[in-house]
C-alpha cells in the first residue's frame, strides 16, 4: 500500500529529497545479502510504497512539494532529476512567487485558506495514482514560521478530507539555541494543532542529529545536508520493507498502519522517536563487524537512558527493580533518568536476523504499569541488509524521551506569553490569546500524561 | 426459502421439492406409530417394505429379502451392496413377477437411499454404519459422532471448532443439539468417548434431517463460488449469535488508559481494514475492466477474479474442476436422496421402535394442528401444556402487579420520566417507520450477489443495480449517524451532570475543533 508524502517548507523539501534518495539507493543496492528473488520482492515492495511508475522513464516519487518560495523546490526538483534514477512529478509542486515572512499565524490563517484548494488538488491527484492508500507522511519543521503554520493547516485539512486515512507528521525539533525569537511560540502552536489532527508525531531533534554527525560520522563541517542524510538513513531503516506476520514469504503490506496501531493507539500519547544503531561513516563501515547481542544491548540502554546515539551512553541507568511503581524520593531520582516506555518497535535488518534475541526488550520493568510487554513490544525483521550495513537495528519508541525538551519549550513560551511579548504578530492574523491558552493546556496535559507513565 | 444462496448466472439449484413441514409431521407420525404399535425392529423392515409395496405384510424370507435382508451383514456398502443388491434386483427383474420385483426393489431401495444421503452429506459414513446403528452397535458410534459434528459445525458456520479431540467434539455436538431444542434425553446421557450410543446418534441425525432440508442447506453453504461475490444485507451477520464475548474478570480496578489503548488499537485496525477494502475494490475494478469481452456468458461480459485465476494457472483450474465435479456428485446424490427418502423414513420408524421407551415422555416439537382430533393419544401432553401455560400467566401477572405497586409509590417525577421515555420510544418508532417508508418499503434481497461491471448507459442484466444498493446503504448510514449523534449527546449530558455534581473539580473536555 502506498504512502503519499507531503514535503512542506524548506526543511520539509530538503529532508524529503534525502529520504526518497536513501530509499531508492537502498532498494537498488547490490549488497543486499539475500537471494535475487528476495531482493526483487524488496525492491518491488519499496517501489509500490513510495514511487509510481510511468511507461517510460524513471520512477516518480509519490510526493507533493509545497513551499512559499520557489528556490528550494526548484533545487529539490533538479537534484532529483539530475540523479537520473528517480524524479519528482513535474506538476506535483506548489509554490508562490515570493516568501512571506516568518510568521506562523500568517501561514495558518492566510496562506492556508488562500491556497487550500490548489494544494488539496495536488494531493488528490497523487492519491488517485495509488491503487491503495495507506496514509500520509508529512514532513515539516516545528518552529518555522510560514511553513509550520501552513503545515498545521494542511494536516487539519487532510484530517477533514481523508478522515479514514492514516497520517503521520514528521517534525524537526529545533536547536535548543535557536535563532528565531518566536520559535517557542511557533513550536507550541504547531504541536498542539498537530496533536489534534494527526495520528502520530515522529520527532527528530536537530541537536541529536548534529551530535551524531559530529561524533559518529566524524564530519568536520556539518551542513544541513549531512544532518538530513543521517535523518534519511534513520527513516529508511524504519520504512523499508520487512517481513509480514505470516513469515518471511511476504513483505509487510502496510507498515504505516502496523506502526501506528502498535505504537500510538492512545490519543494522549502520540510522540514517537527513532534510534538507529549502528551509525557510522561509510569507510568506517568497511572495518567493522557487529553482533546482534552487542547491538541490541546498546540499543536497549539507549532507550532506557534516553541516549540519542551509541556513544556516551549512561550505563548507570537501570530499570526500577520490582514491577510495581516505587514511591518516594527514590523513584523521583530514578524517574529523572530512567526513560519509561509506553510501547516499542524494534526493526532488525541483516544477516542472521533470526538469531537475534530480544528478551531484553520484553522486560516489564521497561514499560508502564498498565501495559504488558506482549501488548507494548513488537518486532519487525528482514534478512535483507539496509544501506550496506551488514546488521542494523532501529527502534521506534513511544516513551518519555521528549518530556524534558517539551517541558522546556512550554516553559519558555509561557514566560514569553505571560509578558505578552510578540503576541501581536499572531493576533494580527487571527491567532488569538485563546488559541495560545488552548495550546498550553493541551501540551501541559501531554507532559503530565507522559510524566505519569 | 431464503436458504438458496444463488446469484446471477448461477442457476444450479433447483427448487426444493419436499416440504419440511411434512418431514416434521412425518416424524411426529412415526412417533405416534411407535407409541401405538411397538413394532419390533427386526420384522418391521419387511413389514415396511411390504406395506409400501401394498403386499399386505407378506414377508418373503426365501429370497433373503425382508428380515433376512436386514441381517445380511457385509454387503450393504456402497460398491458391494449395489453389486449384490443389483444381482438380487436383476434376478427379481428377470423373474418378472410384479410383486417380487416390488419387494426386491424395496429391499435394495433402502441401502441406496441411505447411500445417496451419505454421499450428499459431508463426511457421510457408509450405509453399513447406519444399519449397525439401528442395532445400537458400538462400532458405529464414532462415525456418527463425526458426522453430526461436521454437519452441526457447518450449519452454525463455526470454523473455530474445526480440529478438536473426539471427546471435545462429542461434548460440542451435545451442546449444539441441545441449543437447537433436541428433545431426547438419551443423547445427553451418552458417554463422550464414542464407545456407544449409535442408535441415539442415528435418531438425532434423523431429527436434524426432518427439521430442514439438510443436504441442500449444507451444499448451499459450501458451494464453489466462481464470481466475485458481494453480500447485500447484514442479516447473516446480525442473525448469527457469533462467539460469546470473552469475559475477563479482573482482580482489581482496570486502568482506564489501558482501555483507551485497546479502543485506539481497534480503531486503527478498522481504518486499516477500510484501506484494504478500498484497495480490493480498486483492484477488482481493474480486473473487471481488463477482462472485458472475455466471458462466454454475454450478460456477464467480463471475468471474475476466480475465473481470471483459472486462465493464469492451469493447475488451479484442474483443482477447481475437481471441486465442481465433487459438488455435482453431491448434488446428484441429494436429488437421488429426495427421490428415495420415503423408504428411509419408514425404516427410521423401526429404529425408533427398537429403542426402549424413555423414562419421561419424549416431546417432539409439537405441531398441534387440529388439537382436538387425537385427544386420546395427546391427552396427557396437552394437559401438561395447559397447566404450564396457566402457571406462567399467573407468575407474569404477579410480577406485573408487584412492579406496578412499587412504581406507583414513586411520585410525580417518576411518571414524568416514564412519560418522557414513552415519548422517546414513540419518536424512535416513528423515525424507524419513516426510514422504512423512505427505503421504498421494498423487501431487501438477501443472497450474496455476483459483481458485474457494465458499460455506463448500457441496459445491464437482471439483478440489483449498484446505485440502488448504494442508496439503501446511504439511508441506513444516515439512520445510524442520527443514532450515534443522539447517543453522543446523551453521553455529553451525562458527563455534564457528573461534572456539575462534584464541587471543586474542573473538568477539561478533550480538545474539539
Amino acid at each position: 500500500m502506498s504512502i503519499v508524502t507531503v514535503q512542506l517548507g524548506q526543511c520539509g523539501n530538503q529532508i524529503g529529497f534525502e529520504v526518497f534518495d536513501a530509499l531508492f539507493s537502498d532498494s537498488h543496492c547490490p549488497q543486499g545479502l539475500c537471494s535475487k528473488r528476495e531482493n526483487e520482492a524488496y525492491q518491488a515492495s519499496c517501489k509500490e510504497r513510495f514511487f509510481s511508475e510511468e511507461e517510460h522513464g524513471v520512477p516518480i516519487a509519490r510526493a507533493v512539494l509545497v513551499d512559499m518560495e520557489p528556490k528550494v523546490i526548484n533545487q529539490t526538483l533538479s537534484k532529483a532529476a539530475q540523479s537520473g534514477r528517480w524524479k519528482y512529478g513535474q506538476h506535483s509542486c506548489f509554490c508562490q512567487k515570493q516568501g512571506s515572512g516568518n510568521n506562523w499565524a500568517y501561514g495558518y490563517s492566510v496562506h492556508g485558506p488562500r491556497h487550500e484548494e490548489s494544494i488539496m488538488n495536488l494531493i488528490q491527484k497523487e492519491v488517485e495514482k495509488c491503487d491503495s492508500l495507506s496514509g500520509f507522511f508529512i514532513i515539516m519543521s516545528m518552529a518555522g514560521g510560514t511553513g509550520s503554520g501552513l503545515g498545521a493547516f494542511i494536516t487539519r485539512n487532510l484530517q477533514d478530507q481523508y478522515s479514514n486515512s492514516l497520517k503521520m507528521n514528521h517534525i524537526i525539533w529545533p536547536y535548543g539555541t535557536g535563532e528565531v525569537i518566536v520559535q517557542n511560540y511557533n513550536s507550541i502552536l504547531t504541536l498542539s494543532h498537530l496533536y489534534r489532527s494527526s495520528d502520530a508525531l515522529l520527532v527528530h531533534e536537530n541537536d541529536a542529529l548534529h551530535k551524531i554527525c559530529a561524533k559518529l560520522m566524524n564530519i568536520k563541517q556539518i551542513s544541513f545536508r549531512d544532518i538530513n542524510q543521517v535523518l534519511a538513513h534513520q527513516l529508511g531503516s524504519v520504512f523499508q520493507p520487512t517481513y509480514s506476520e505470516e513469515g518471511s514469504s511476504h513483505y509487510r503490506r502496510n507498515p504505516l498502519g502496523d506502526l501506528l496501531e502498535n505504537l500510538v493507539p492512545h490519543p494522549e500519547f502520540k510522540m514517537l522517536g527513532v534510534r538507529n544503531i549502528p551509525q557510522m561513516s561509510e569507510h568506517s563501515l568497511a572495518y567493522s563487524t557487529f553482533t546482534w547481542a552487542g547491538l541490541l544491548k546498546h540499543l536497549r540502554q539507549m532507550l532506557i537512558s534516553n541516549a540519542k546515539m551509541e556513544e556516551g551512553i549512561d550505563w548507570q541507568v537501570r530499570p526500577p527493580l520490582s514491577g510495581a511503581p516505587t514511591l518516594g524520593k527514590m523513584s523521583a531520582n530514578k524517574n529523572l533518568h530512567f526513560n519509561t516506555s509506553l510501547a516499542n518497535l524494534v526493526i532488525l535488518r541483516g544477516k542472521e536476523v533470526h538469531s537475534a534475541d530480544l528478551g531484553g526488550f520484553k522486560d516489564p520493568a521497561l514499560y508502564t504499569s498498565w501495559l504488558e510487554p506482549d501488548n507494548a513490544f513488537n518486532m519487525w525483521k528482514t534478512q535483507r541488509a539496509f544501506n550496506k550495513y551488514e546488521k542494523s537495528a532501529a527502534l521506534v519508541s513511544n516513551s518519555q524521551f521528549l518530556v524534558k525538551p517539551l517541558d522546556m519549550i512550554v516553559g519558555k513560551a509561557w514566560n514569553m506569553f505571560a509578558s505578552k511579548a510578540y503576541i501581536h504578530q499572531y493576533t494580527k492574523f487571527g491567532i488569538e490569546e485563546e488559541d495560545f491558552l488552548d495550546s498550553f493546556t493541551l501540551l501541559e496535559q501531554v507532559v503530565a500524561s507522559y510524566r505519569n507513565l | 426459502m431464503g436458504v438458496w444462496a444463488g446469484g446471477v448466472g448461477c442457476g444450479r439449484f433447483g427448487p426444493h421439492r419436499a416440504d419440511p413441514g411434512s418431514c416434521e409431521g412425518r416424524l411426529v407420525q412415526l412417533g405416534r406409530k411407535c407409541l401405538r404399535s411397538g413394532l419390533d425392529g427386526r420384522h418391521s423392515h419387511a413389514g415396511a417394505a411390504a406395506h409400501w409395496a401394498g403386499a399386505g405384510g407378506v414377508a418373503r424370507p426365501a429370497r433373503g429379502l425382508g428380515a433376512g435382508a436386514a441381517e445380511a451383514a457385509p454387503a450393504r456398502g456402497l460398491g458391494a451392496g449395489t453389486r449384490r443388491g443389483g444381482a438380487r434386483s436383476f434376478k427379481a427383474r428377470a423373474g418378472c413377477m410384479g410383486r417380487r420385483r416390488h419387494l426386491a426393489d424395496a429391499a435394495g431401495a433402502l441401502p441406496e437411499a441411505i447411500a445417496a444421503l451419505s454421499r450428499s452429506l459431508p463426511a457421510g459414513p457408509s450405509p453399513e454404519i447406519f444399519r449397525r446403528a439401528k442395532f445400537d452397535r458400538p462400532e458405529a458410534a464414532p462415525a456418527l459422532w463425526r458426522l453430526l459434528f461436521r454437519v452441526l459445525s457447518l450449519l452454525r458456520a463455526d470454523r473455530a471448532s474445526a480440529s478438536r479431540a473426539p471427546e471435545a467434539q462429542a461434548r460440542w455436538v451435545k451442546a449444539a443439539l441441545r441449543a437447537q431444542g433436541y428433545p431426547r434425553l438419551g443423547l445427553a446421557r451418552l458417554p463422550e468417548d464414542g464407545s456407544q450410543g449409535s442408535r441415539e446418534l442415528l435418531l438425532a441425525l434423523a431429527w436434524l434431517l426432518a427439521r430442514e432440508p439438510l443436504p441442500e442447506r449444507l451444499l448451499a453453504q459450501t458451494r464453489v463460488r466462481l464470481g466475485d461475490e458481494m453480500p447485500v444485507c447484514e442479516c447473516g451477520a446480525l442473525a448469527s449469535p457469533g462467539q460469546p464475548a470473552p469475559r475477563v474478570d479482573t482482580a482489581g480496578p482496570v486502568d482506564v488508559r489501558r482501555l483507551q489503548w485497546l479502543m485506539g488499537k481497534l480503531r486503527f485496525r478498522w481504518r486499516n481494514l477500510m484501506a484494504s477494502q478500498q484497495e480490493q475494490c480498486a483492484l477488482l475494478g481493474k480486473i473487471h475492466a481488463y477482462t472485458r469481452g472475455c466471458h462466454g456468458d454475454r450478460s456477464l461480459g467480463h471475468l471474475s477474479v476466480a475465473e481470471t485465476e483459472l486462465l493464469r494457472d492451469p493447475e488451479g483450474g484442474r483443482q477447481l474442476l475437481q471441486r465442481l465435479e465433487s459438488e455435482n456428485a453431491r448434488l446428484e446424490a441429494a436429488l437421488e436422496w429426495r427421490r428415495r427418502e420415503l423408504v428411509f423414513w419408514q425404516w427410521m420408524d423401526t429404529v425408533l421402535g427398537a429403542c426402549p421407551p424413555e423414562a419421561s415422555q419424549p416431546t417432539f416439537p409439537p405441531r398441534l394442528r387440529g388439537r382436538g382430533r387425537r385427544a386420546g393419544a395427546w391427552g396427557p401432553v396437552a394437559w401438561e401444556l395447559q397447566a404450564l401455560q396457566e402457571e406462567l400467566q399467573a407468575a407474569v401477572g404477579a410480577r406485573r402487579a408487584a412492579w406496578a405497586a412499587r412504581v406507583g409509590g414513586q411520585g410525580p417525577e417518576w411518571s414524568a420520566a416514564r412519560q418522557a421515555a414513552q415519548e422517546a420510544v414513540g419518536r424512535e418508532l416513528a423515525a424507524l417507520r419513516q426510514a422504512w417508508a423512505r427505503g421504498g418499503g421494498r423487501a431487501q434481497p438477501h443472497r450474496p450477489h455476483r459483481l458485474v461491471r457494465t458499460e455506463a448507459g448500457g441496459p445491464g442484466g437482471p439483478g440489483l443495480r449498484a446505485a440502488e444498493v448504494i442508496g439503501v446503504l446511504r439511508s441506513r448510514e444516515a439512520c445510524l449517524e442520527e443514532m450515534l449523534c443522539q447517543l453522543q449527546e446523551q453521553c455529553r449530558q451525562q458527563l455534564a451532570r457528573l461534572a456539575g455534581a462534584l464541587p471543586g473539580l474542573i473538568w477539561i473536555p478533550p480538545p474539539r475543533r
Side-chain angles (χ1 to χ4, degrees), chain A residues 167-196:
Chain A
K167 287 164 281 297
M168 178 186 269
N169 283 65
H170 180 262
I171 53 186
I172 300 299
W173 201 270
Y175 284 106
T177 57
E179 308 147 354
V180 180
I181 196 123
V182 290
Q183 71 177 35
N184 294 320
Y185 280 163
N186 292 345
S187 303
I188 59 143
L189 286 172
T190 308
L191 271 179
S192 61
H193 279 83
L194 289 183
Y195 225 86
R196 286 179 212 137

Side-chain angles (χ1 to χ4, degrees), chain A residues 1 131-132 156 159-160 164-166 196 199 253-254 257 261-262 264-266 343 370-372 375 452, chain B residues 255 257-258 260-262 264-265 268-272 274-276 278-279 282-283 286 508 511 513:
Chain A
M1 302 179 90
D131 266 339
S132 66
R156 202 189 81 178
Q159 166 80 327
D160 287 337
N164 282 329
S165 301
L166 307 169
R196 286 179 212 137
D199 293 313
R253 297 231 60 224
N254 192 0
E261 180 198 323
N262 289 326
V264 289
H266 197 296
W370 44 272
L371 271 185
E372 322 83 39
N375 270 327
N452 283 332
Chain B
D255 197 319
R257 293 175 290 180
R258 185 189 166 82
Q260 288 174 308
W261 177 271
L262 293 172
K265 264 198 141 158
F268 272 119
R269 288 211 183 160
W270 185 80
R271 281 159 88 179
N272 290 337
M274 290 273 301
S276 300
Q278 284 182 320
E279 180 182 21
L283 293 175
K286 268 191 176 171
I508 305 176
R513 266 178 283 117

Side-chain angles (χ1 to χ4, degrees), chain A residues 278-318:
Chain A
Q279 190 126 35
M280 54 185 51
S281 62
E282 212 168 298
H283 69 258
S284 310
L285 190 53
Y287 301 106
S288 321
T289 55
F290 309 97
T291 61
W292 284 118
L295 287 176
L296 291 174
K297 188 165 140 193
H298 277 75
L299 194 60
R300 179 175 184 267
Q301 194 61 24
M302 278 162 72
L303 169 66
I304 297 178
S305 63
N306 201 6
K308 313 288 194 281
M309 56 183 185
E310 59 258 43
E311 245 184 67
I313 299 178
D314 180 1
W315 289 94
Q316 296 302 321
V317 179
R318 302 267 168 73

Side-chain angles (χ1 to χ4, degrees), chain A residues 1-222:
Chain A
M1 302 179 90
S2 313
I3 299 177
V4 169
T5 305
V6 182
Q7 304 179 184
L8 282 161
Q10 172 184 356
C11 176
N13 280 299
Q14 286 173 339
I15 293 176
F17 168 76
E18 297 296 345
V19 170
F20 279 109
D21 205 41
L23 292 169
F24 192 88
S25 319
D26 170 59
S27 70
H28 286 264
C29 174
Q31 285 133 295
L33 296 181
C34 62
S35 66
K36 183 158 175 267
R37 216 184 62 162
E38 171 142 8
N39 205 29
E40 281 170 6
Y42 186 87
Q43 264 183 22
S45 179
C46 169
K47 190 185 285 186
E48 189 218 354
R49 214 171 282 163
F50 292 105
F51 298 90
S52 62
E53 289 275 26
E54 236 178 38
E55 272 107 41
H56 327 282
V58 295
I60 302 178
R62 297 189 193 273
V64 174
L65 297 84
V66 178
D67 198 1
M68 284 301 104
E69 45 179 43
K71 187 176 88 166
V72 175
I73 286 195
N74 287 335
Q75 278 176 357
T76 312
L77 286 177
S78 60
K79 259 196 293 191
Q82 264 169 23
S83 73
R85 300 176 305 158
W86 63 275
K87 64 180 184 188
Y88 284 106
Q90 279 172 313
H91 304 287
S92 314
C93 41
F94 174 88
C95 55
Q96 293 294 95
K97 286 295 180 261
Q98 62 192 64
S100 45
N102 217 358
N103 192 319
W104 197 98
Y106 196 81
Y108 189 85
S109 314
V110 178
H111 274 305
R114 196 185 285 168
H115 307 299
E116 179 183 346
E117 206 177 313
S118 329
I119 299 178
M120 296 309 283
N121 272 341
L122 281 182
I123 296 180
Q124 173 76 11
K125 277 210 208 93
E126 202 56 52
V127 166
E128 279 164 10
K129 279 197 236 165
C130 306
D131 266 339
S132 66
L133 179 67
S134 166
F136 297 96
F137 189 60
I138 303 142
I139 313 180
M140 54 192 272
S141 74
M142 190 172 82
T146 332
S148 308
L150 183 59
F153 182 81
I154 292 192
T155 308
R156 202 189 81 178
N157 260 35
L158 285 176
Q159 166 80 327
D160 287 337
Q161 198 169 333
Y162 299 94
S163 45
N164 282 329
S165 301
L166 307 169
K167 287 164 281 297
M168 178 186 269
N169 283 65
H170 180 262
I171 53 186
I172 300 299
W173 201 270
Y175 284 106
T177 57
E179 308 147 354
V180 180
I181 196 123
V182 290
Q183 71 177 35
N184 294 320
Y185 280 163
N186 292 345
S187 303
I188 59 143
L189 286 172
T190 308
L191 271 179
S192 61
H193 279 83
L194 289 183
Y195 225 86
R196 286 179 212 137
S197 15
S198 182
D199 293 313
L201 306 180
L202 185 60
V203 175
H204 265 110
E205 298 168 80
N206 263 345
D207 284 314
L209 293 169
H210 197 101
K211 256 195 250 165
I212 292 180
C213 286
K215 301 263 174 66
L216 297 182
M217 315 287 279
N218 285 322
I219 304 176
K220 297 293 178 262
Q221 308 272 30
I222 300 177

